[in-house]
Amino acid sequence: EPGCRYDGWRWRVLVRYVRRRDWDKCRQCGRRGLLHVHHKRPVSEGGWHWPRNLITLCVGCHEKVHGWDLDGDGKVGYAGR
């Protein structure tokens, strides 16, 4: 349902599927490691939790997309990128 957050087993199943589909790599830069599953169209704007609306991003790329400091290092994105 749009506008509603997923958690628990449903979200874990989706995350596992999307990461496997994306070969456990960031879809923007190709890095491996700590990966997040990102909604291309945000749930708050009516986006769905369907795999076609989800992509795998590394922390640095996810920070750049949102402009947030997710890892608490005081920078948005990776240094030197």
Side-chain angles (χ1 to χ4, degrees), residues 12-79:
R12 286 191 304 271
V13 168
L14 274 170
V15 165
R16 192 175 313 124
Y17 172 80
V18 171
R19 285 182 178 167
R20 284 182 185 160
R21 179 200 67 196
D22 293 346
W23 298 90
D24 289 319
K25 292 193 276 184
C26 175
R27 292 275 300 267
Q28 289 198 7
C29 72
R31 289 179 191 239
R32 294 183 183 269
L34 180 59
L35 299 170
H36 296 177
V37 173
H38 168 72
H39 290 82
K40 294 187 278 185
R41 181 175 180 194
V43 174
S44 62
E45 295 175 12
W48 290 82
H49 302 293
W50 291 350
R52 68 177 179 229
N53 188 43
L54 301 170
I55 59 170
T56 305
L57 295 176
C58 66
V59 175
C61 289
H62 202 190
E63 286 182 341
K64 283 193 242 176
V65 167
H66 289 292
W68 301 336
D69 180 16
L70 297 171
D71 57 7
D73 68 354
K75 299 178 220 130
V76 174
Y78 289 112

